[in-house]
Amino acid sequence: MEKKVLEYEVIILGGGPAGLSAGVYAARGALKTAIVDITMFGGQPSNYADIENYMGFPEIGGFELSEKFEEHCDKFGAEKFPMQEIVSVNLMSNPKVVETKEYIFKSKSVILAMGASPKKLEIPGEKEFTGRGVSYCAVCDGAFYKDKDVAIIGGGNTAVEEGIYLTKFAKKVYIIHRRDTLRADKILVKRANENPKIEFIYDTIPLEIQGEEKVKSIVLKNVKTDMITNLNIDGVFPFIGVVPNTELINGQVQQDKYGFVITDETMKTSESGVFAAGDIRTTPLRQVITAVSDGAVSAVYAAKYIEESALSKIS
């Protein structure tokens, strides 16, 4: 069966905060806009229990905020294509081409907003027990650990926030960090320290996740003493950072040593007509609010690029 060819002025790859924000600004700017994602829209915030640092909402559920983003985007008519299995992306052609199992999308400009995914521990047992005691989403799986003991790996905001959330279900939450101090915001650290269900294990790294049908324990190493211990737990939640979702576009735009896309202040990449926004790009802060800002900037400058390209053809 021949695939249907769809033509747009801008294609946005990714339906998280950056992609939906770009969709609002692009469609509002009268650009024919398509947003394509491999999953449902919403991005990472859909998996957060609560968000407390998005302007205008002192506290709001992650899923609820994602819904508001999508509703706002819908108001301006950006066309949405969720659950698309993307086969290939050609950013260097003119027009740009995004091919999925169902469609061939062609456009004058592309905004990369595919986000990032949780970084793996890369230790024995992690892959084997994923879905059977290893999880990367406390909101998704927290209820499975009612009255059980779980371990959080990491020391940033996400690790501490998810650890606090898990105390709603778990009997005990261990937060294991490789350093002697946390990177998380002080207000979060204070809340965690005041929670009787949370215990911190500092200067420690995980070596192996063990179990049979499900996780039963985790092998730990103190980085200062080299002492090896075995902690009995029912679940492991790694929150040690993210890696960019760039598999489809690697090598087509300039990236840093970690794979994140390099942009200028207008979100322009090294490839003409290609912009990047949100967690996929090199940025000092990866938060919902910065992703939304990136999306707005990328769409405005994608529109400028399209306008200037049209003028250059006339002249």
Side-chain angles (χ1 to χ4, degrees):
M1 183 177 174
E2 193 170 326
K3 294 181 182 179
K4 186 175 183 180
V5 178
L6 302 174
E7 296 185 358
Y8 293 89
E9 290 178 286
V10 60
I11 292 174
I12 300 164
L13 293 179
L20 291 171
S21 174
V24 168
Y25 276 78
R28 188 171 177 268
L31 295 179
K32 188 178 181 184
T33 304
I35 308 176
V36 182
D37 204 331
I38 61 172
T39 63
M40 297 302 292
F41 287 3
Q44 289 192 53
S46 299
N47 297 322
Y48 298 161
D50 297 299
I51 292 175
E52 296 183 333
N53 52 356
Y54 190 80
M55 288 297 293
F57 298 94
E59 184 174 346
I60 187 171
F63 184 77
E64 183 184 356
L65 185 60
S66 294
E67 280 189 319
K68 288 182 179 296
F69 288 164
E70 191 170 354
E71 288 168 6
H72 194 167
C73 190
D74 289 343
K75 177 181 177 181
F76 294 105
E79 295 182 43
K80 300 183 300 184
F81 296 86
M83 303 302 293
Q84 291 293 312
E85 185 177 345
I86 299 176
V87 176
S88 65
V89 176
N90 190 341
L91 302 176
M92 306 173 85
S93 62
N94 188 18
K96 318 296 181 187
V97 179
V98 176
E99 184 175 354
T100 72
K101 287 284 188 181
E102 297 180 56
Y103 305 104
I104 295 175
F105 296 90
K106 294 183 177 182
S107 72
K108 299 174 181 178
S109 180
V110 171
I111 296 173
L112 306 173
M114 296 94 80
S117 297
K119 188 181 292 184
K120 303 295 191 294
L121 296 170
E122 304 293 349
I123 61 174
E126 180 182 23
K127 183 177 180 181
E128 293 85 345
F129 290 106
T130 295
R132 296 188 293 126
V134 175
S135 172
Y136 304 91
C137 178
V139 175
C140 308
D141 298 327
F144 294 119
Y145 296 92
K146 186 172 177 59
D147 297 326
K148 297 181 183 292
D149 297 337
V150 299
I152 297 279
I153 313 297
N157 282 349
T158 302
V160 177
E161 285 173 337
E162 301 297 81
I164 293 170
Y165 175 78
L166 283 168
T167 60
K168 295 180 179 181
F169 308 99
K171 180 173 60 178
K172 184 82 173 181
V173 176
Y174 297 95
I175 298 181
I176 301 165
H177 187 43
R178 60 182 175 175
R179 298 188 179 92
D180 57 4
T181 54
L182 299 170
R183 293 179 289 107
D185 295 341
K186 289 181 179 180
I187 188 171
L188 293 174
V189 175
K190 183 175 183 293
R191 288 178 191 170
N193 279 320
E194 291 173 350
N195 194 310
K197 288 188 174 183
I198 292 177
E199 180 178 331
F200 290 97
I201 302 177
Y202 293 108
D203 301 316
T204 299
I205 59 173
L207 296 181
E208 182 180 357
I209 298 168
Q210 299 179 333
E212 293 174 5
E213 291 298 316
K214 295 182 179 180
V215 168
K216 286 192 172 182
S217 65
I218 186 169
V219 180
L220 304 174
K221 177 184 177 181
N222 185 292
V223 296
K224 291 185 175 178
T225 66
D226 289 334
M227 180 179 292
I228 306 294
T229 56
N230 196 297
L231 180 67
N232 292 327
I233 41 90
D234 303 287
V236 179
F237 290 80
F239 295 111
I240 57 171
V242 296
V243 292
N245 297 324
T246 54
E247 296 85 357
L248 290 163
I249 55 93
N250 281 331
Q252 297 187 63
V253 292
Q254 188 178 359
Q255 296 165 263
D256 67 14
K257 64 181 180 179
Y258 302 108
F260 292 96
V261 177
I262 296 172
T263 72
D264 65 12
E265 68 274 12
T266 70
M267 305 301 139
K268 183 182 181 297
T269 71
S270 58
E271 183 62 31
S272 180
V274 179
F275 301 81
D279 287 1
I280 197 172
R281 78 179 193 94
T282 300
T283 176
L285 182 65
R286 290 186 173 86
Q287 294 283 297
V288 176
I289 198 163
T290 54
V292 168
S293 173
D294 284 359
V297 174
S298 67
V300 168
Y301 281 90
K304 287 182 182 293
Y305 165 79
I306 292 168
E307 182 181 349
E308 289 167 3
S309 297
L311 289 174
S312 66
K313 287 179 181 178
I314 295 172
S315 60

